[in-house]
Amino acid sequence: MTRQKSFKQTVRDRMEKTGESYTAARAQLLPESEPAPDSAAAPGTGAATIRDRVRGHKVADATGRDYEGWFALLDAWGATSRTHTEIAAWLVDEQGVPGWWAQTVTVAYEQERGLRVPGQKKDGFAVSASKTVDVPVERLFAAFADPDLRARWLPVEAAERTAKPGKRFTADLPEDTRVAVTFQAKGEAKSSVGVEHTRVASAERAAEWKADWRTWLSDLKKVAEDQPA
C-alpha cells in the first residue's frame, strides 16, 4: 500500500510539472513490462453510436423509414452541408417526423457521414463512468462533496457548482470541462455512482479522461470503503 501511494504521488508530481493527464503521466512512469491501461484501445470515447442504441426497425415503426431510407433522402436534400439544427428542423417541418425521432435520425446521419463521432455533443465530447461501492449512499456522496475526502482520490481541482445530498453533485473541472455525478442507493450498505464528464475538447482527450475516471473511481472505492462508519 505504501508503494502504491508513493507511486501515485510521483504521478501527481509529474502532472504538475508537465500538465499531462493522470493517465498520460502514469503511462510515462510505468515500468516497460507493465502496460498502460487501455494501451491497445483505438482513439475515441468508446461511446456507442445511435444506431447501436436505437435499432433501425424501431425508427421505421415510428417514422415510416429505416435509417438507410432517411439517409438517402437526406443525401438528396444536401444534408451534409447543413447544420444539426437545420437537419432536425427539416425532418420535423417537411417530413413530419416527431421531434425526438428527428433528433435520433439527425445524430445517426451525422455519425454515419462523419459529421459527428460517438460521444460528441454540441458543446464538445462527453464520457461516462460508473462504480458500485460497498457503503451507504450518504458516504459515497460525501466522498465527492467533502473537499478533504475528495482530495484523497481525485487528483484534479473540482469547483463545486451544485450539491443535492445523496442524489446529485456537479462541479467545474480543468480545461473548462464539467462533471455531473448521480448517486443511487442499492441497500443499506451498497450504492452506485454515475459520472458524466462533458465539454471535452476532442475525442482523443475524451479517451484520456475516460481512462482517468476508471482509475479515480477505483481509488474512490478504496477511500470510501476505508472510511469509518
Side-chain angles (χ1 to χ4, degrees):
M1 181 66 71
T2 300
R3 181 178 179 275
Q4 183 183 25
K5 288 183 178 179
S6 177
F7 180 71
K8 287 180 181 177
Q9 186 57 54
T10 301
V11 173
R12 289 166 182 162
D13 289 343
R14 180 183 173 90
M15 289 170 62
E16 292 181 358
K17 292 179 181 178
T18 66
E20 294 171 326
S21 70
Y22 186 94
T23 300
R26 182 175 184 272
Q28 294 298 321
L29 295 169
L30 285 171
E32 291 185 359
S33 60
E34 184 179 353
D38 301 325
S39 58
T45 65
T49 66
I50 285 290
R51 297 187 72 171
D52 291 332
R53 301 201 302 268
V54 184
R55 299 301 181 182
H57 68 87
K58 292 186 177 180
V59 174
D61 290 344
T63 68
R65 287 185 174 87
D66 61 9
Y67 284 118
E68 283 67 28
W70 283 117
F71 294 170
L73 195 64
L74 287 166
D75 283 340
W77 178 62
T80 55
S81 64
R82 310 278 185 160
T83 67
H84 174 92
T85 300
E86 287 173 332
I87 297 171
W90 184 79
L91 288 169
V92 172
D93 297 338
E94 302 298 327
Q95 302 300 320
V97 180
W100 188 88
W101 289 102
Q103 290 292 332
T104 299
V105 171
T106 300
V107 173
Y109 179 80
E110 291 174 323
Q111 291 176 348
E112 189 76 10
R113 297 296 182 260
L115 306 175
R116 175 195 297 251
V117 301
Q120 186 177 8
K121 299 186 177 183
K122 65 180 181 179
D123 59 353
F125 290 81
V127 298
S128 59
S130 61
K131 198 74 172 178
T132 297
V133 184
D134 293 329
V135 298
V137 70
E138 294 81 9
R139 284 171 59 187
L140 185 57
F141 174 81
F144 280 85
D146 184 316
D148 292 334
L149 283 178
R150 190 170 65 236
R152 293 181 56 191
W153 62 270
L154 185 65
V156 297
E157 290 296 322
E160 180 182 316
R161 293 176 61 86
T162 63
K164 186 176 181 180
K167 297 293 184 181
R168 185 173 173 85
F169 175 87
T170 65
D172 291 327
L173 295 186
E175 302 174 20
D176 196 30
T177 62
R178 189 169 294 170
V179 66
V181 187
T182 55
F183 305 87
Q184 182 178 2
K186 292 184 171 292
E188 292 184 359
K190 180 176 288 189
S191 53
S192 65
V193 58
V195 172
E196 185 181 29
H197 191 157
T198 59
R199 302 174 66 177
V200 180
S202 67
E204 291 75 14
R205 192 68 187 96
E208 292 181 342
W209 278 114
K210 189 173 183 68
D212 285 340
W213 277 110
R214 291 196 191 105
T215 299
W216 297 339
L217 291 183
S218 293
D219 291 344
L220 162 68
K221 179 178 173 70
K222 296 172 186 176
V223 169
E225 291 179 351
D226 286 346
Q227 282 293 107

